[in-house]
Structures are given as structure tokens and as C-alpha cells.
Amino acid sequence: MGSEQGDAWAPQSRVGAVVVALVQGDQAAAERAAGLPPDERDPSVLQAAIRLAVRSLFDEDTGPDQIAEFVAAMREDVEVDPAVAEALIRAQLGEPQLLEAFAPQSVDDTTWSTLGYLCERRLGPEDSLQLVEYAEQQALHAA
């Protein structure tokens, strides 16, 4: 997932700007970026980013009990509905129908929270920046 451009890369989406600010430890910048008006590209970048983040930590063989344990640990730091968070993670691993049981806004909120947690607490700054760069490449330049 490396960057050919190295330090020259800059986020091209609201999702990218939020992740960059979070991993740089700038909560105020992250809140400002998150407060920007939604962009029509947000859903595709967010979906690419959460898919990459989840798949960097889990694989298709990860069982529901392991995911439930992970979500329980995540809830110590982030307020999320555990059922939605578990469904979100499992959806990235091949069970997308699980998200159909939840309101789209709840899934969106949980996706943002989970992505932030994964980038801030689990992946680390370098991997998170590479991940969001790659997610933007997939989502914004796929056409």
C-alpha cells in the first residue's frame, strides 16, 4: 500500500482529511474536517477505507466471537452500538447482508467511529496514512 509520492501526498476527501488529522493527534482539525459539508465522494472513500482497515486486522476466518471481543474492547474507548459495529466488521469480511438490519445513519455513524478507532488505536499513523491514500485512489480514481 506504499505511496509513490511519499510525503507529497495530501488527502483529497473529507474522509482523508479526518483520518490525517486524527493520526497527527489534532482533534480540533479532525472535528473541523468532519464538520465540513458532506461530499458525494464521502461514501465511496469511507467504504474503501473501512474495508481496508478491517481487512488489515481480520480475515474471513475470524469468527463472530472474536469480533464480539474486539468490539467489546473498542467500546472502552469509543461509544458505538455493539450490534452495528459487529455487523459492520463482519460485512467487510463477506457478510454485507448483516448491515441491512440497521438504519443507514446508524451504519454511517458506526463506520466513522470504527474507522477513527482503527486508525488512531490499532493501525498506527504510517499504516493509517497509507490506508487512506489507497482508499482515495480506489474510490476517487476508479472511474
Side-chain angles (χ1 to χ4, degrees):
M1 262 197 285
S3 169
E4 294 176 19
Q5 300 169 338
D7 293 338
W9 177 81
Q12 300 174 15
S13 69
R14 183 171 72 119
V15 175
V18 170
V19 170
V20 167
L22 286 175
V23 299
Q24 291 176 345
D26 190 342
Q27 189 65 35
E31 289 175 12
R32 281 193 305 275
L36 292 172
D39 184 297
E40 72 270 356
R41 304 175 304 174
D42 286 351
S44 59
V45 175
L46 186 60
Q47 287 307 308
I50 194 66
R51 182 180 66 253
L52 292 168
V54 167
R55 287 179 169 267
S56 71
L57 295 171
F58 303 98
D59 60 33
E60 286 84 2
D61 296 330
T62 304
D65 290 343
Q66 292 169 293
I67 293 170
E69 289 174 17
F70 174 82
V71 169
M74 180 175 73
R75 289 185 65 217
E76 292 177 16
D77 295 316
V78 179
E79 187 176 322
V80 293
D81 179 327
V84 179
E86 289 176 32
L88 175 66
I89 292 169
R90 290 176 62 191
Q92 307 316 305
L93 301 174
E95 299 180 81
Q97 72 282 1
L98 295 176
L99 291 176
E100 295 171 6
F102 304 99
Q105 187 62 51
S106 180
V107 172
D108 190 56
D109 292 346
T110 300
T111 302
W112 278 101
S113 297
T114 302
L115 179 63
Y117 173 81
L118 292 174
C119 290
E120 279 187 288
R121 309 282 175 123
R122 298 302 299 254
L123 298 174
E126 186 176 323
D127 287 343
S128 295
L129 293 175
Q130 288 177 344
L131 177 141
V132 77
E133 178 183 5
Y134 191 60
E136 284 187 348
Q137 287 173 359
Q138 284 186 340
L140 303 178
H141 305 292

